[in-house]
Amino acid sequence: MKIKHRWKTLLLAVLSVSIVLLGSIYYLRSVQNSLWLKSVTDVLEVTAQGCHALDTYIEKDMEMLHWLAEDLSAEDSRDGKAIQEEMLHLSGDSGSSYICVSLDTNTCYGTQPGEAQKLNPEQAEALLALQGNGIREPYLDGRTGVWTLGYYERFSFKDGAEGFLQKSLPLSTVAERFSLSFYDDTGFSYVVSPQGDILIRSLHRNSNRTFQNLFDIIDLQGNDPDEIRSFQAALELGKKGAARFYYQEEDYVFCYVPMENTPGWYLVSIVPNRVIMEQTHNIVQNSQVFLILILVSGLIMAAFYIVHRTTSRRILQAEERARLAAESANTAKSRFLSNMSHDIRTPMNAIIGMTQLASRHAGEPDKVREYLKNIELSGQLLVGLINDILDMSKIESGKMKLNNMDTSLETLLTNLVRIIQPTAAQKNQGFHIYLHGITHETLSFDPLRLNQVLINLLSNAVKFTPEGGAVRVDITESPSVRENRAHLTIRVADTGIGMKPEYLRHIFDSFSREQDDRVHQTEGTGLGMAIVKMIVDMMEGTITVDSRPGEGSVFTVDLDLLLAAAADQENPALPGIRILIADSDPEESRTTAEFLRALGLSPDLVPSGEAAVQKAAAAHSHGNDYTLILLDAELEDPDAVGTALAILEQTGEKPPSLLLSAYDCAGMEEEAAAAGIKDFLQKPLLKTALYRCICQNVLGDKPAATCKDMSQDLTGRRILLAEDNMLNQEIARELLEGLGAQMDVVSNGLACVESFEKSSPGHYDLILMDVQMPVMNGYEATKQIRGLDRADAGVIPILAMTADAFAEDVEAALAAGMNGHLAKPLDIPTMIRQIHLLLNGNGD
């Protein structure tokens, strides 16, 4: 039995040695071929880089020429002195020369005074043949006897005369810019045309100075005619690649790359094949290493039996752990699918049910409006669920990127209050945001993602806090340990149902929700907190949670945010202004006072409306009236309006400016205005907002433009809609025609381009463009419209209207030439507002 086992071991060893030997032979051949391909790829890459460098060099020259053409277009074609003055500063430009020609009079101006001369008919005819802008093929300058490259641009003088501007420079100067060398200066390059004509010759020592055509060089070396024709065809078709030919008594590799800014020009690099192959010889010489592998394989086989049992046991244990992990993941995903099914079916059931009810009560407008409102709310819930799932997918795949920009905390908090406050008010919950030590109001971060984090935290706080509870946000700024950053600590606390300790360990896991009847009564996929955690991690921050059942939860987010590129503007001090603050919340009152002191003011603080009336009356009796009184909307006994009326009675003919601060002033504007309250401030109050308000209401500065409700009248406007979905077509048509717009509808991008092209300039005021359409998508259609040769092609507003709703989709729409982006399902007020902005020239 042992002898049989030994024979099996020996046979296995021999088989292993044979496999290693055969593998070595295959390996050497494959390495030799792979190394050659890698080297050729490297030459192609260097050639492409050289091509890009030459393209950039030409692009910069063309750009400078265009700037000069724009300057000259402001001059009169007969004012030779002014033309030459515009060109004088270019007279010492690295051996290059400039001319400007008035094609109406055939007068040519140089860069030196007195160089104006008349062109002969042949010269004028040659220049008239050159249209637009571009590059002339290299020519022999009759004046200098030097091969020259010329950039040109046609333009119009101020008086309407046609002008021609040209920059000329010696080919040798251009050649120095792209003269590439490879493998210890054994390779070199040419710039050629698709016909093989050598346009620019490398300064390399091996560059042929005699031949004028690259194909002539190859053809005379006895190369295969079919390979030469294949090379010619590749150049004519604008391809990039490599070919091998016999040249100068040895094999050479020809790598060719088309230039981007000069259509029809190629950069061709030529490298001896022997140089490329030299690297493989070293590997062949070192093939003896593979003999060592044979011995090593024998040792491995001997050791294999010894460790076999141990490794097998470990493998089985690892497989068991993997199986348990897979089962746990499947269980979590099954739970997620169950939750998602419930949460999607719930609003879907509401939508279907409410639609049926609306149909039954079609003759009762009030009921139909209520049903439609419920349908809209359910639809919004569905969109939120789907967005959570898509966000999670993009974060886990690594495709989500942060879009940092300078953003004001005032803007962030204002939007946050407008979203959260109405929901909190419906549940009669106290909602307050407190600021501590805020010195930088503008920071650089991704406002969309930070807003997503805060809305998730606050929505959960409101959702899981019973009626009459409280939700509190504390935002504290402190010095950051990282340079050029500010440290923000955002603390979201609620008095809700809290969480069990065992669930807190999994709160940031995907697909997880606490097993609690109170939780099951609320919608959610179990993805919100996982998304929050991943976004915070992307922002290089931390998030922690502290919670106890029945006592509420506290989430703390710590972030180090970049300071804005432009520092916060320092507001000048406002001495001589007496301010009284009446606020029953001592923390809000303290923060407001700190900001006012930073503005050079010394406000007086009182905790109630009654105290505010007494304080104002006392100041008036001493002839030292307050200039401004800031009243909190939550004052009681009397309330803010009653306090304002009482102050007006006490202060007489010259009452102070009365302002009202609140998280939501809806429903009290008229009553407050009747009581003399001049303005409303949304909490939380920041220093900049206080300064702006004082300037407007005390110092008499004109208020900044506010975003008022825009008129929804689109009468006289003609809109072209490109949309392949019939229902979406009907919705957009009905909506916009109901506002007075005239609609033309097409079902694909190509039809949209054709409709616009056939219309007269100015016929359409705006294009609504879907992205995913048959025949031609919205991106390509937009690019073709922008490229049309007509006055309105580049300026007509084009608004993307698409279900592609991620940040990169917005960027793609703008990159294609669109002016804005609307995500489906459409938010109708947002769409109308965006259309008005674009039609009124404010949608840039």
Side-chain angles (χ1 to χ4, degrees), residues 321-385:
R321 287 195 297 270
R323 184 185 65 79
L324 293 175
E327 288 181 355
S328 176
N330 287 333
T331 301
K333 289 183 179 180
S334 297
R335 187 165 60 249
F336 157 70
L337 290 174
S338 175
N339 290 338
M340 186 177 66
S341 175
H342 170 268
D343 291 335
I344 288 179
R345 288 175 184 274
T346 298
M348 282 299 299
N349 180 66
I351 291 172
I352 294 171
M354 289 295 171
T355 302
Q356 293 174 349
L357 289 175
S359 299
R360 293 178 186 175
H361 298 274
E364 303 176 59
D366 291 339
K367 285 190 175 182
V368 170
R369 277 192 291 269
E370 186 64 29
Y371 297 148
L372 292 177
K373 181 179 179 182
N374 291 332
I375 291 173
E376 181 182 6
L377 292 174
S378 298
Q380 291 173 352
L381 175 59
L382 266 179
V383 171
L385 294 173

Side-chain angles (χ1 to χ4, degrees), residues 544-559:
T544 57
V545 58
D546 181 24
S547 182
R548 291 178 179 81
E551 297 182 16
S553 303
V554 178
F555 287 85
T556 304
V557 178
D558 284 281
L559 299 169

Side-chain angles (χ1 to χ4, degrees), residues 97 123 126 136-150 166 168-172 198-199 201 212:
S97 61
Q123 292 173 323
R136 301 178 64 180
E137 287 197 358
Y139 61 91
L140 188 64
D141 192 323
R143 184 164 56 89
T144 64
V146 175
W147 280 94
T148 304
L149 185 69
Q166 176 175 295
S168 305
L169 67 165
L171 275 182
S172 59
I198 298 175
L199 304 175
R201 203 178 300 273
Q212 300 299 321

Side-chain angles (χ1 to χ4, degrees), residues 527-544:
L527 291 176
M529 296 312 300
I531 292 172
V532 165
K533 179 65 166 63
M534 290 183 177
I535 293 176
V536 171
D537 288 344
M538 289 176 65
M539 299 178 74
E540 300 179 355
T542 61
I543 180 170
T544 57

Side-chain angles (χ1 to χ4, degrees), residues 659-687:
L659 309 182
L660 184 67
S661 65
Y663 289 95
D664 184 11
C665 294
M668 56 189 303
E669 294 95 334
E670 293 184 7
E671 185 182 7
I677 294 175
K678 294 184 177 182
D679 204 353
F680 302 89
L681 293 176
Q682 179 175 300
K683 291 184 178 181
L685 302 179
L686 284 159
K687 183 173 67 173

